[in-house]
């Protein structure tokens, strides 16, 4: 593990993307600690330009954009992490069970996975979001998570089938170790890096899905996120008014976060799958 | 029945299953909302005023009849499926008594007119750029590749926002709103057409750029892979001209790209929802957005089922096409060696 | 036998990451009418690179630095590389690729390639004409004509390689450069391909073959003369008998010793092969390139490159032979 860590840190693209992500996370954690304004509380007029009072000006209803950003990044990241965790958990459970047990169960689970993959994600997202009474941050994360696990399940199943025939797995099986224990101790540790990379991808797509839902008016209630900031900016005509301080920060941050996470994932892939390095 | 037919039938059954799952989600999920949806919507209408006594009762009856709310849930589902089979998507809550079919019919052409050319042009330009990058290599490749990678990784609505600001606000050369000037009425005059094209440019660009990026990245790696294939060296060694070698490379590299095209066309309806929201473009996306704000479930359901059918249909066609084009798949189905 | 082809002073290098890696160093060869010239050596010795150069199919990152080829009185400047007229390939000199490679386009029928090859050299040919020509050729050589309609995956490995052989010789090229055509084939398929090559020679479809192999027993079967390559240079050349039965270069001896011992009790040796590995061509050893692995190495060997002792027809590049001479 230490060796991998050293290899990872010697990869320039990994260091760059890691620092980028850590800066954003740090901003989201430290910001709310030093700031005591309520982000949903107006501090000025409509579209006040940046000033010493509001570093990034105000939005359409006079909220401080900079303060909103501090909370918005946090909310987006939290939703992304919940979505990523839910999707990865479901994906790993279904993927390992299908891959390890095989047979009818495998066919059944993969059939379900394939059916859900064929239905466009946005459709399920919209229907679920419409159906819930209130969309809290956690609900949003779960909704996004339960719609995006199939890709992880498929990939984890493929990994599991190849690990299943390894010697140490056979040894464990012959020694009478139970299925769950074998999966937990003999299979999962060998694809930890793989699962982590899948999680990073799910995290990125979770953040973008939150933004997409928010833009359709299905964002989280009673809180601020990057997607909701962008939605308010668009609905409040910030773009057409020329209030760049209102719409540019969430737009660029969304692009930056997704870019950073994708770069993080691809640089990890490079280290863990050295065959790719040549290209 | 031969194996190819069995393959198609097998695929067809999968897609029917997927459709049924989607239709069930479409039907049951909005019914999870507490309370009778008709009561809720009629109460909302009453609050916003306008409809009184007798009229309200009529609306109430229309919806009760349409949904069969007095009947068991499974019977309602049956009614829903049979309505779907007849292409009847119900009556809008928000714009009573407008039919969902008509609402969608009036906005779908805008979406198709925006998306279809963007997809086809983006696909063609992206593939050409990808092949050129793979062939020419060097600085051209690096610029094209990094540019394409950046474009394809940028969320498409972010690019839309940036373009909208840059070219209609910062440098006001394009209109920022709608599909045509609010004063105009749609007709076939030259001035109206020019107006439409002006409004069309930015949403179109925002879609086409992302597509070019995505296609170019895919085509480049496919072409590089094919270029190093053994048969390319062999054909060269036999003195076959570049033109004919490139044709073979193209054919093989295009096969997966055609899947990309079909998938893009499948996501045609659902792929640009947010572009339309950003540009206030009068397509399916704007219709969906309004419907969500108005809790207009029949319209939301209509749009989602349409998006689903488009994607499932495209996937099915790809599977058939693959079975027909690729001899490896075709014979794998037949079990030849 | 008359001389058919001659290459002189061929030097070639790969441009890798801004550096040049010398892959072929001062190679001269002659090829006579009707003969099979074997070319052997460990992997990485430059034999496949030389094959590419002889087949006039070099392309970046491989560059020919110097050298020319004389074929039927015509002089061809090999340094032109990719700039050489493509019509020469397939018509004058043709290539028969390694059996392990996927030399056929997986999504095209065999007849498509046959048409492409014929069309490339006879622009006016019709499809039907091309198919008919190929069909006749296949039948003359005892191969089923139905393969024309087949896709590569429908052919067995051995059949695929025989079909490739027929396509490579469709235009009756003077010289066929066969680059390990039988590697990765089972024994009976190997025999079939070798048999087919012999038939092509006997019937004068082709005039001569350069047969590249790492497999000396196979070369003993088919080659008239054998050249042994080491680290981009020809270490020794001679007739089949001279090389197999009286090798002079320690490398040739080691190669034969490591491969040609049928007795079971020396299996051990076989597995060992030659001690050490071929040199890294990015920084080849000074003097004789074989000296770090040579058990007869003398001080001189690490200082000066040995010249070719003997005649152009029968030489070995080793300082030991100087002592014998004097």
């Amino acid at each position: 593990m230490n060796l991998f860590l050293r290899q990872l840190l010697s990869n320039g693209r990994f260091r760059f993307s890691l620092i980028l992500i850590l800066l954003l996370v740090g901003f989201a954690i430290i910001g709310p600690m030093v700031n005591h304004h309520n982000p949903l509380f107006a501090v000025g007029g409509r579209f006040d330009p940046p000033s010493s009072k509001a570093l990034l000006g105000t939005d359409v209803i006079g909220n401080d954009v900079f303060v909103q950003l501090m909370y918005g990044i946090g909310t987006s990241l939290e939703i992304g992490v919940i979505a990523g965790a839910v999707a990865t958990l479901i994906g790993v459970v279904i993927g390992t069970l299908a891959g390890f047990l095989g047979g009818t169960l495998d066919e059944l689970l993969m059939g379900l996975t394939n059916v859900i993959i064929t239905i466009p994600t946005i459709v399920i997202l919209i229907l679920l979001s419409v159906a819930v009474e209130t969309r809290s941050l956690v609900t949003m994360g779960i909704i996004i998570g339960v719609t995006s696990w199939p890709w992880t399940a498929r990939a984890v199943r493929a990994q599991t089938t190849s690990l299943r025939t390894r010697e140490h797995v056979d040894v464990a099986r012959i020694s009478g170790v139970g299925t769950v224990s074998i999966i937990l101790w003999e299979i999962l540790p060998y694809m930890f890096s793989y699962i982590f990379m899948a999680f990073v991808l799910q995290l990125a797509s979770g953040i973008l899905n939150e933004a997409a839902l928010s833009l359709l008016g299905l964002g989280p209630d009673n809180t601020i996120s990057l997607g909701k900031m962008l939605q308010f900016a668009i609905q409040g005509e910030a773009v057409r008014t020329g209030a760049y301080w209102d719409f540019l920060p969430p737009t660029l941050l969304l692009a930056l976060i997704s870019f950073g996470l994708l770069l993080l994932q691809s640089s990890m892939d490079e280290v863990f799958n050295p065959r790719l390095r040549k290209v | 029945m031969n194996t190819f037919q069995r393959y198609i039938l097998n695929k067809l059954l999968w897609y029917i299953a997927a459709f049924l799952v989607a239709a069930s989600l479409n039907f049951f999920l909005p019914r999870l909302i507490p309370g009778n949806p008709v009561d809720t919507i009629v109460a909302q209408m009453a609050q916003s005023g306008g409809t009184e006594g007798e009229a309200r009762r009529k609306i109430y009856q229309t919806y009760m009849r349409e949904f069969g709310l007095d009947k068991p849930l499974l019977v309602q589902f049956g009614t829903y499926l049979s309505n779907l089979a007849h292409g009847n998507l119900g009556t809008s809550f928000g714009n009573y008594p407008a039919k969902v079919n008509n609402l969608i019919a009036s906005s779908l052409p805008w979406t198709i007119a925006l998306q279809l050319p963007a997809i086809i042009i983006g696909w063609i330009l992206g593939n050409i750029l990808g092949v050129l990058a793979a062939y020419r290599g060097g600085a051209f490749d690096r610029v094209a590749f990094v540019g394409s990678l950046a474009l394809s990784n940028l969320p498409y609505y972010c690019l839309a926002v940036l373009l909208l600001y840059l070219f209609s606000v910062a440098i006001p050369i394009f209109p920022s709103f709608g599909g045509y000037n609010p004063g105009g009425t749609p007709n076939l005059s030259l001035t109206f057409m020019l107006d439409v094209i002006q409004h069309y440019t930015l949403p179109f660009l925002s879609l086409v750029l992302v597509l070019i990026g995505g296609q170019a990245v895919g085509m480049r790696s496919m072409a590089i892979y094919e270029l190093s294939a053994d048969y390319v060296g062999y054909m060269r060694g036999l003195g076959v001209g570049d033109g004919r070698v490139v044709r073979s490379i193209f054919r093989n590299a295009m096969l997966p790209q055609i899947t990309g095209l079909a998938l893009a066309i499948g996501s045609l309806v659902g792929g640009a929802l947010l572009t339309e929201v950003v540009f206030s473009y009068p397509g399916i996306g704007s219709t969906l957005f309004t419907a969500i704000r108005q809790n207009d479930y029949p319209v939301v359901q209509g749009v989602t089922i349409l998006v689903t059918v488009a994607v499932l249909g495209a996937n099915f066609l790809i599977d058939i096409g693959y079975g027909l084009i690729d001899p490896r798949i075709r014979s794998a189905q037949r079990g030849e060696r | 036998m008359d001389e058919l082809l001659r290459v002189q002073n061929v030097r070639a290098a790969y441009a890798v990451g801004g550096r040049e890696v010398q892959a072929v160093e001062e190679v001269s060869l002659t090829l006579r009418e009707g003969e099979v010239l074997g070319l052997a050596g460990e992997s990485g010795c430059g034999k496949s690179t030389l094959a590419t150069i002889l087949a006039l199919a070099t392309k970046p990152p491989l560059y020919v630095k110097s050298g020319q080829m004389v074929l039927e009185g015509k002089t061809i400047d090999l340094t032109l590389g990719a700039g050489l007229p493509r019509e020469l390939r397939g018509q004058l000199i043709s290539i028969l690729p390694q059996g392990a490679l996927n030399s056929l386009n997986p999504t095209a029928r065999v007849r498509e390639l046959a048409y492409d090859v014929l069309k490339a050299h006879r622009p006016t040919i019709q499809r039907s004409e091309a198919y008919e020509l190929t069909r006749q050729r296949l039948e003359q050589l005892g191969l089923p004509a139905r393969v024309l309609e087949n896709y590569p995956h429908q052919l067995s490995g051995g059949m695929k390689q025989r079909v490739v052989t027929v396509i490579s010789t469709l235009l009756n090229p003077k010289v066929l450069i066969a680059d390990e055509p039988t590697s990765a084939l089972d024994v009976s398929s190997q025999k079939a391909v070798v048999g087919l090559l012999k038939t092509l020679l006997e019937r004068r479809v082709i005039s001569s073959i350069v047969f590249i192999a790492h497999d000396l027993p196979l070369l003993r079967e088919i080659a008239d003369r054998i050249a042994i390559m080491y680290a981009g240079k020809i270490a020794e050349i001679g007739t089949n008998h001279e090389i197999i039965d009286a090798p002079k270069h320690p490398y040739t001896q080691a190669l034969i010793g490591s491969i040609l011992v049928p007795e079971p009790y020396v299996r051990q040796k076989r597995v060992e092969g030659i001690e050490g590995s071929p040199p890294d061509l990015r920084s080849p050893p000074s003097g004789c390139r074989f000296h770090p692995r040579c058990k007869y190495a003398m001080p001189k060997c690490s200082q000066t490159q040995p010249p070719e002792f003997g005649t152009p027809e029968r030489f070995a590049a080793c300082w030991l032979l100087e002592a014998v001479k004097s």
Side-chain angles (χ1 to χ4, degrees):
Chain A
M1 210 58 216
N2 237 335
L3 176 75
F4 272 138
L5 213 61
R6 212 170 312 135
Q7 268 183 312
L8 275 174
L9 288 174
S10 68
N11 182 308
R13 299 197 303 149
F14 177 81
R15 280 202 308 268
F16 175 78
S17 48
L18 186 69
I19 290 172
L20 185 69
I21 300 297
L22 286 181
L23 278 178
L24 290 168
V25 172
F27 181 65
I29 292 175
I30 297 169
M33 283 160 67
V34 295
N35 168 74
H36 299 292
H37 293 297
N38 183 340
L40 301 177
F41 208 81
V43 295
R46 176 175 181 266
F47 294 139
D48 286 346
S51 67
S52 55
K53 217 176 84 202
L55 274 177
L56 283 176
T58 62
D59 71 358
V60 66
I61 49 171
N63 288 345
D64 187 324
V65 175
F66 188 72
V67 174
Q68 291 214 326
L69 219 48
M70 285 193 284
Y71 290 88
I73 292 177
T75 312
S76 283
L77 284 172
E78 277 173 65
I79 293 178
V81 168
I82 296 172
V86 170
T88 309
L89 188 71
I90 302 178
V92 166
V93 169
I94 291 191
T96 47
L97 283 180
F100 186 74
L101 296 175
T104 321
L105 184 77
D106 181 22
E107 273 174 36
L108 226 80
L109 288 176
M110 282 303 110
L112 177 73
T113 308
N114 288 338
V115 162
I116 296 185
I117 279 184
T118 354
I119 304 172
T121 317
I122 188 77
V123 164
I124 311 182
L125 276 176
I126 291 173
L127 290 173
L128 280 172
S129 307
V130 167
V132 294
E133 211 171 341
T134 50
R135 286 183 298 271
S136 71
L137 184 155
V138 178
T139 330
M140 285 286 290
I142 294 175
I143 286 177
I144 296 171
V146 295
T147 50
S148 45
W149 57 265
W151 290 109
T152 304
R154 228 188 224 187
V156 166
R157 177 188 171 273
Q159 291 281 311
T160 309
T161 24
S162 76
L163 281 169
R164 186 178 55 177
T165 50
R166 291 258 189 104
E167 207 174 321
H168 60 90
V169 180
D170 283 339
V171 170
R173 207 180 347 220
I174 294 164
S175 330
V177 181
T179 304
V180 177
S181 301
I182 294 182
I183 289 178
L184 277 181
W185 305 116
E186 304 295 337
I187 290 192
L188 282 185
Y190 292 86
M191 44 185 201
F192 180 77
S193 66
Y194 197 81
I195 293 173
F196 187 73
M197 286 191 287
F199 168 75
V200 172
L201 282 187
Q202 294 281 16
L203 169 59
S205 86
I207 289 171
L208 294 185
N209 276 333
E210 183 275 324
L213 280 177
S214 293
L215 286 182
L216 283 174
L218 293 170
D221 295 325
N222 304 322
T223 180
I224 193 74
S225 69
L226 291 178
K228 279 194 88 168
M229 286 183 73
L230 190 54
Q231 188 221 349
F232 286 151
I234 290 171
Q235 295 319 312
E237 303 294 0
V239 187
R240 294 182 182 99
T241 317
Y244 57 87
W245 57 85
D246 185 20
F247 71 85
L248 268 187
T251 309
L252 295 181
L253 273 170
L254 278 171
L256 205 62
I257 290 180
S258 83
F259 168 74
L261 288 173
L262 291 177
L263 193 66
L264 189 74
Q265 191 271 341
S266 78
S267 62
M268 284 168 66
D269 204 18
E270 216 170 87
V271 171
F272 292 128
N273 299 318
R275 260 176 309 141
L276 298 173
R277 223 172 301 172
K278 272 192 297 181
V279 186
Chain B
M1 189 164 62
N2 70 26
T3 26
F4 182 66
Q5 285 165 333
R6 199 149 58 216
Y7 161 78
I8 296 295
L9 189 71
N10 180 25
K11 288 280 171 197
L12 187 64
L13 287 177
W14 272 117
Y15 286 113
I16 289 175
F19 176 77
L20 283 180
V21 171
S24 318
L25 289 174
N26 229 340
F27 174 81
F28 289 107
L29 282 178
R31 277 171 182 69
L32 293 178
I33 306 162
N36 179 335
V38 179
D39 284 345
T40 319
I41 194 70
V42 175
Q44 267 177 18
M45 280 182 188
Q47 268 172 19
S48 56
T51 41
E52 299 287 331
E54 183 61 18
R56 202 189 301 164
R57 211 177 55 81
K58 238 179 102 184
I59 296 174
Y60 190 82
Q61 278 168 352
T62 310
Y63 288 123
M64 286 305 275
R65 199 174 51 244
E66 202 163 82
F67 288 92
L69 284 179
D70 42 352
K71 299 187 187 98
L73 208 58
L74 270 180
V75 179
Q76 291 180 39
F77 187 48
T79 317
Y80 172 74
L81 283 183
S82 121
N83 280 344
L84 269 188
H86 291 98
N88 176 9
L89 297 173
T91 309
S92 160
F93 281 172
N95 300 316
Y96 182 82
K99 287 279 165 201
V100 176
N101 288 31
N102 296 340
L103 283 175
I104 287 181
S106 68
S107 58
L108 190 59
W110 288 96
T111 297
I112 294 177
L114 176 61
Q115 276 271 63
L116 196 60
I119 289 170
I120 292 173
I121 292 174
W123 186 77
I124 293 173
L125 291 181
N127 281 332
I128 293 177
L129 184 67
V131 168
L132 279 181
Y135 255 176
R136 308 246 315 248
F140 179 84
D141 181 30
R142 240 165 292 143
V143 171
F145 179 58
V146 171
S148 303
L149 207 60
L151 275 179
S152 61
N153 279 337
L154 194 65
Y156 72 100
Y157 42 87
C158 290
L159 183 66
V161 169
L162 293 177
L163 284 180
L164 174 64
Y165 177 68
L166 278 179
F167 296 110
S168 79
V169 181
I171 315 167
I173 38 179
F174 290 108
S176 68
F177 188 92
Y180 51 89
N181 263 332
T185 36
N187 58 62
L188 286 176
S189 71
L190 191 65
T191 41
F192 182 76
M193 283 298 138
L194 275 176
D195 183 43
V196 166
I197 290 173
Q198 278 202 330
H199 283 81
Y200 185 78
T201 311
L202 283 182
F204 173 77
L205 262 185
S206 81
L207 292 170
V208 116
L209 285 176
V210 173
L211 271 157
I212 289 180
Q215 287 297 323
V217 171
M219 187 62 186
R220 176 181 172 275
S221 59
M222 283 309 299
I224 287 178
Y225 178 78
E226 283 295 327
L227 270 174
S228 66
D230 301 332
Y231 72 85
V232 175
Y234 183 43
M235 287 177 88
R236 256 190 98 244
L238 293 177
V240 177
D242 280 351
R244 295 198 78 86
V245 177
V246 169
R247 266 184 37 170
S248 311
I249 296 175
F250 231 84
R251 188 187 145 117
N252 292 355
M254 279 316 260
L255 224 56
Q257 297 303 98
I258 289 170
T259 316
L261 177 66
L263 280 178
I265 291 179
S267 68
L268 187 146
V269 186
L273 297 176
L274 297 176
T275 308
E276 293 174 6
V277 172
V278 170
F279 290 102
S280 307
Y281 206 75
I284 288 287
S286 296
T287 305
L288 175 68
F289 181 68
T290 315
I292 286 173
R293 292 184 98 174
Q294 297 177 338
N295 291 330
D296 194 344
Y297 300 121
V299 175
V300 174
Q301 285 170 301
V303 171
T304 51
I305 205 78
L306 184 70
V307 171
T308 311
V309 169
V311 171
L312 293 185
N315 273 304
F316 184 51
L317 286 179
I318 293 170
D319 283 337
I320 295 181
Y322 250 107
L324 288 175
I325 295 171
D326 195 324
R328 283 169 293 191
I329 293 184
R330 203 168 53 199
S331 71
Q333 306 306 330
R334 288 203 208 108
E336 287 173 26
R337 61 154 292 124
Chain C
M1 282 191 274
D2 299 328
E3 175 184 307
L4 177 67
L5 173 146
R6 188 170 74 235
V7 287
Q8 283 165 331
N9 305 328
V10 178
R11 283 170 53 233
Y14 288 95
V16 188
R19 291 183 49 189
E20 275 191 1
V21 178
Q22 211 70 27
V24 172
E25 187 86 45
E26 291 295 331
V27 167
S28 300
L29 277 176
T30 53
L31 190 63
R32 285 176 275 178
E33 191 87 37
E35 80 168 348
V36 176
L37 173 66
L39 200 57
E42 291 165 291
S43 57
C45 71
K47 57 189 195 298
S48 274
T49 308
L50 186 59
T52 311
I53 297 168
L54 290 177
L56 308 175
T58 51
K59 60 161 194 251
L62 174 63
Y63 297 92
V64 177
K65 315 280 287 181
S66 78
Q68 58 177 11
M69 174 187 281
V70 181
L71 177 59
E72 288 197 307
K74 253 185 284 183
T75 304
I76 299 164
D77 181 3
L78 292 173
T79 59
L80 289 173
L84 286 165
R86 67 164 175 82
E87 287 79 9
L88 296 175
R89 299 195 294 264
Q91 180 100 291
L92 219 48
I93 296 192
S94 192
I95 193 161
L96 176 56
Q98 290 193 14
L101 298 184
N102 298 312
S103 307
L104 296 172
N105 179 353
T107 59
R109 295 174 196 275
V110 169
R111 62 172 197 214
E112 287 300 312
L113 178 61
Y115 171 67
D116 279 347
V117 171
L118 287 166
K119 178 91 179 167
H121 299 276
R122 302 181 201 164
T124 55
I125 201 167
Q126 297 295 310
R127 267 180 190 279
S128 52
E129 237 180 299
Y131 297 163
E132 180 56 25
L133 259 168
T134 319
R135 195 182 60 76
Q136 284 174 8
R137 178 60 66 83
L138 283 166
E139 281 173 352
Q140 283 161 12
L141 294 167
L143 292 174
R146 60 160 174 87
V147 299
L148 280 176
E149 307 299 320
N150 287 146
Y151 288 97
H153 68 266
Q154 295 168 317
L155 304 172
S156 69
M159 181 55 84
K160 213 184 293 181
Q161 193 65 2
R162 278 190 285 165
V163 168
V164 166
T165 309
V166 171
I167 302 261
S168 288
T169 53
L170 260 185
L171 295 152
N172 302 353
K174 291 287 165 205
V175 181
L176 182 67
I177 312 291
D179 186 3
E180 307 211 25
T182 59
S183 63
L185 294 185
D186 59 84
V187 180
S188 69
S189 301
Q190 268 188 20
K191 280 202 177 121
V193 171
V194 169
L196 182 57
L197 286 173
K198 281 183 174 162
T199 312
L200 287 166
L201 266 181
E202 278 160 20
R203 298 197 185 166
R204 300 255 144 208
V205 174
I206 49 178
S207 302
S208 165
I209 299 176
V210 178
F211 197 107
I212 289 131
H214 60 263
D215 189 1
L216 271 176
L218 181 70
L219 283 187
R220 186 165 67 169
E221 295 281 312
I222 187 172
D224 298 305
R225 290 191 303 134
I226 298 176
I228 305 289
M229 276 190 89
Y230 187 78
K233 296 181 67 118
I234 292 186
E236 181 168 5
I237 191 166
T239 63
N240 190 325
H241 283 297
E242 288 164 343
I243 296 293
I244 303 289
D245 300 330
K248 288 186 175 164
H249 197 289
Y251 176 63
T252 314
Q253 292 165 2
L255 209 57
I256 290 170
S258 70
I259 301 164
L260 277 186
V261 214
E263 292 85 353
Y265 63 89
V266 267
R267 276 265 167 77
Q268 196 61 34
K269 222 176 160 188
R270 246 184 85 151
V271 177
E272 263 172 34
I274 309 168
E275 257 176 57
S277 51
D280 184 350
L281 288 177
R282 279 172 295 185
S283 51
S286 60
C288 172
R289 291 178 169 191
F290 186 58
H291 85 262
R293 297 169 76 189
C294 182
K295 52 184 171 184
Y296 307 112
M298 307 176 288
K300 194 178 193 177
C301 297
S302 59
Q303 287 152 14
T304 325
Q305 285 206 23
E308 295 165 355
F309 293 101
T311 64
E313 298 291 294
R314 172 71 185 127
F315 70 74
C318 177
W319 285 118
L320 287 173
L321 298 175
E322 187 193 39
V324 171
K325 234 165 102 184
S326 58

